[in-house]
Amino acid sequence: MSDTEWFLRQAIELAHANVENGGRPFGAVVVKDGNVIATGVNEILSTNDPTAHAELTAIRTASQKLGSPNLEGCAIYASGHPCPMCMAAMRLAGVSEVYYSYSNDDGAPYGLSTASVYAELAKPFSEQSMKIGYVPVRLESRPDLYAEWKRRHSGQI
């Protein structure tokens, strides 16, 4: 059995355990240098937090364990196809590899596909169902927000 299959099986076991505990069927494992450094399950139902996806809970735990928001060199193994939010978070965190076992096609008959969200996000803002607007408000009494951040935190993420 390959390492990829081994870690994916762990993610699926987490997902099964989460279902048994009343949660949604998603689990994730974060691996660095061949070692599991964090796991997560979908906690949407137990926390009423729509962002508590398995991948994000695993990323949060991994970042805390590593003491850094930078997960460069880490791989994430997920039971299901990561949604756009999770995929974006993984990219922003510097995750190097992502593998999943159940596709959006596998999840579609059960209402567990995020393919429509991917399709919606691929449209220009003006064509999306959610109103998205750029309104360049600035505070004249304060320094430019981004320039001030850069000045105070040069070299940090």
Side-chain angles (χ1 to χ4, degrees):
M1 173 184 320
S2 72
D3 286 350
T4 298
E5 187 175 331
W6 174 256
F7 294 126
L8 285 170
R9 287 178 177 276
Q10 289 184 36
I12 295 167
E13 284 294 345
L14 288 166
H16 274 289
N18 203 42
V19 168
E20 291 164 6
N21 290 319
R24 292 170 54 88
F26 300 104
V29 176
V30 180
V31 174
K32 185 169 187 171
D33 300 326
N35 298 305
V36 174
I37 60 168
T39 63
V41 295
N42 185 292
E43 298 176 355
I44 289 175
L45 298 177
S46 64
T47 64
N48 295 317
D49 177 354
T51 69
H53 289 201
E55 298 89 340
L56 292 185
T57 61
I59 286 170
R60 291 172 185 142
T61 300
S63 295
Q64 292 300 307
K65 283 187 178 177
L66 295 175
S68 173
N70 185 345
L71 298 182
E72 188 175 329
C74 291
I76 293 187
Y77 298 85
S79 60
H81 188 143
C83 76
M85 174 183 65
C86 292
M87 198 66 81
M90 290 185 273
R91 288 186 178 272
L92 289 169
V95 169
S96 304
E97 302 174 52
V98 179
Y99 302 95
Y100 59 94
S101 290
Y102 284 78
S103 70
N104 273 326
D105 288 342
D106 295 328
Y110 309 99
L112 299 172
S113 173
T114 58
S116 63
V117 179
Y118 274 102
E120 178 79 5
L121 291 174
K123 297 175 185 177
F125 284 170
S126 62
E127 295 176 23
Q128 292 187 27
S129 60
M130 181 174 69
K131 184 176 180 178
I132 304 169
Y134 169 64
V135 182
V137 172
R138 303 296 187 266
L139 303 178
E140 295 79 20
S141 63
R142 303 279 272 165
D144 180 76
L145 180 61
Y146 290 174
E148 179 66 6
W149 176 84
K150 177 76 172 174
R151 185 183 73 73
R152 291 176 181 252
H153 301 283
S154 186
Q156 294 180 7
I157 291 179

